[in-house]
Amino acid sequence: MMDCKKALAECGGNAEEAAEWLRKKGLSGADKKSGRIAAEGAVVRYIHPGSRLGVLLEVNCETDFVAASDAFQKLVNELGMIIAATDCICVNPEDVPEEVLAKEREVELGKDDLSKKPEAIRTKIVEGRLDKIRNQMALTNQMTLSNPDKTVAEMVKETIAAVGENIKIRRFIKYRLGEGIEKKSNDFAAEVAQQTQAKAPAPPKVEEPKKEEPKKEAKPLVAVAASVVKTLRDATGAGMMDCKKALAECEGDMAKATEWLRMKGLAGADKKAGRIAAEGVVASYIHPGSRLGVLLEVNCETDFVAASEKFNQLVNYIAMGIVAGQNVQYVSADEIPAEVFEREKQLEMAREDLKGKPEAIRAKIAEGRAKKIAQEMCLLDQPFLTDNSKTVADAIKEAIAAIGEKISVRRFVKFQLGEGLEKKSNDFAAEVAAVTGQK
């Protein structure tokens, strides 16, 4: 109220000028707050309709009170949509990776309009163009959706002025479904030629006389009630005829029939491992409290399966499992860099309990421990969220058997609010001493 009164007095009662005066006053205050530590805030996500594009974002403020405010939540939600709608790859212009700039520099230097210019001028023009590219790639320089005349940096400053705390966009990542995956092309001419070649008559084979083998007694068929078949089908997701056959083979034993179907399905799942899976979903999970979030891409072969309830339920359980596994960093053991494994091995070698042992035994024990740690880092080796008796890899294989398509977890990222940030500690005794000393 007092600020508004002062603004109107300063601007001769002109409401528009007073509003601008207040805005400038607020932005000035926002600059003063930029040095404060902001380690609270929220991890948020934006998944574009269709689940083919997703964003995970961390924005920090100073207190959890402001993090829960409408002004802060409005800001972070709009930021997620802006990231999805633009080609930005980093928060600030200075964050653009050097390898990206090097590639752009090479492209610009090779353009025809600069070929006849002196070297010094070419370099100057190219650096000017790179500055423009740098700005285009930065989130803070993007125009906001709510006001196309305002940049993200200005929107953040205005929110700082409104809430009275420092706010910083710390990091974000964007996944686009199937980017970089080779998709199957339907070359019908090639398929016809391949089929024609396959159907060409083969040279006649000389058949050897068959040895007579003792005839096996036919297994008596077991009558299976339709209601029992339906129960097995509901429990496993397998086809009706497969369930009927499983029960017949296992003499009506539900547990054995389930295992029979599982083994049959896993064998089929292994055969599908070579197929190309470029459809699927980009999904996310934000743990209650918005302090921990996951973005992941899970692929299948068709958009029909990607829209199915069974597939999406699997994806959701995998996402929650990533949050539950504190050390999970990689999809599979193949992704763990050799230097990471070697570092863990050396750390284990240096432990006190191994110091008195011979070198060869120490190395063997350390390697075993390092392998166990590596297993804890891999998503596919984690216990499945709803059934700890099987791993995530087992659950995916069972889903492949039930759905009939290849399914693979391609990538994921996990953000934990404030990890690595220095947090402010309230040492009231030190504060009182400091104030007393000043006086």
Side-chain angles (χ1 to χ4, degrees), residues 92-331:
N92 301 300
E94 58 268 23
D95 299 330
V96 178
E98 188 53 46
E99 57 268 22
V100 173
L101 291 175
K103 191 175 180 181
E104 294 293 339
R105 186 180 286 110
E106 188 179 345
V107 170
E108 293 298 330
L109 282 169
K111 287 188 175 177
D112 291 338
D113 62 335
L114 299 182
S115 59
K116 295 180 181 178
K117 296 188 182 294
E119 183 66 26
I121 294 175
R122 281 177 68 209
T123 303
K124 194 171 182 180
I125 293 172
V126 166
E127 289 307 316
R129 290 179 180 178
L130 286 179
D131 283 340
K132 188 177 179 182
I133 290 168
R134 206 182 268 113
N135 288 329
Q136 289 171 344
M137 290 181 172
L139 171 61
T140 50
N141 288 329
Q142 305 303 313
M143 293 299 152
T144 64
L145 300 175
S146 53
N147 185 350
D149 295 325
K150 188 190 300 178
T151 65
V152 166
E154 290 170 336
M155 180 173 68
V156 171
K157 276 194 171 185
E158 288 184 2
T159 309
I160 292 172
V163 301
E165 285 190 9
N166 186 21
I167 295 173
K168 285 188 176 178
I169 306 167
R170 188 183 180 199
R171 53 181 171 167
F172 69 84
I173 193 161
K174 178 165 60 176
Y175 283 174
R176 195 182 296 274
L177 181 67
E179 56 189 347
I181 296 177
E182 180 192 354
K183 296 194 178 182
K184 185 179 179 182
S185 59
N186 293 320
D187 189 341
F188 296 108
E191 283 182 18
V192 170
Q194 190 177 8
Q195 288 171 8
T196 306
Q197 190 176 5
K199 288 178 182 178
K205 290 183 179 179
V206 179
E207 292 187 4
E208 294 180 5
K210 292 182 181 178
K211 292 181 182 179
E212 288 189 10
E213 294 180 3
K215 292 183 180 180
K216 292 180 181 178
E217 289 186 13
K219 196 173 183 179
L221 293 175
V222 177
V224 180
S227 59
V228 180
V229 176
K230 186 178 184 302
T231 302
L232 182 60
R233 186 169 188 257
D234 292 341
T236 62
M240 188 68 80
M241 294 307 295
D242 285 335
C243 290
K244 189 174 181 181
K245 186 177 180 183
L247 287 163
E249 289 282 340
C250 301
E251 299 178 351
D253 188 307
M254 187 70 72
K256 288 182 180 177
T258 303
E259 185 62 20
W260 188 91
L261 282 169
R262 181 174 173 272
M263 296 310 296
K264 181 177 181 289
L266 294 186
D270 289 335
K271 290 177 184 177
K272 295 178 178 73
R275 295 184 187 173
I276 295 169
E279 290 297 325
V281 295
V282 174
S284 67
Y285 171 71
I286 303 295
H287 197 62
S290 299
R291 302 183 71 85
L292 188 60
V294 165
L295 185 72
L296 77 159
E297 178 181 349
V298 182
N299 300 126
C300 57
E301 296 178 52
T302 64
D303 51 4
F304 176 77
V305 163
S308 69
E309 184 180 350
K310 188 177 269 300
F311 179 81
N312 282 280
Q313 186 181 62
L314 173 70
V315 172
N316 289 334
Y317 285 148
I318 292 172
M320 287 189 278
I322 295 168
V323 169
Q326 293 183 351
N327 296 326
V328 176
Q329 299 173 42
Y330 307 95
V331 174

Side-chain angles (χ1 to χ4, degrees), residues 6 205 238 351 356 368:
K6 186 177 180 182
K205 290 183 179 179
R351 291 196 183 276

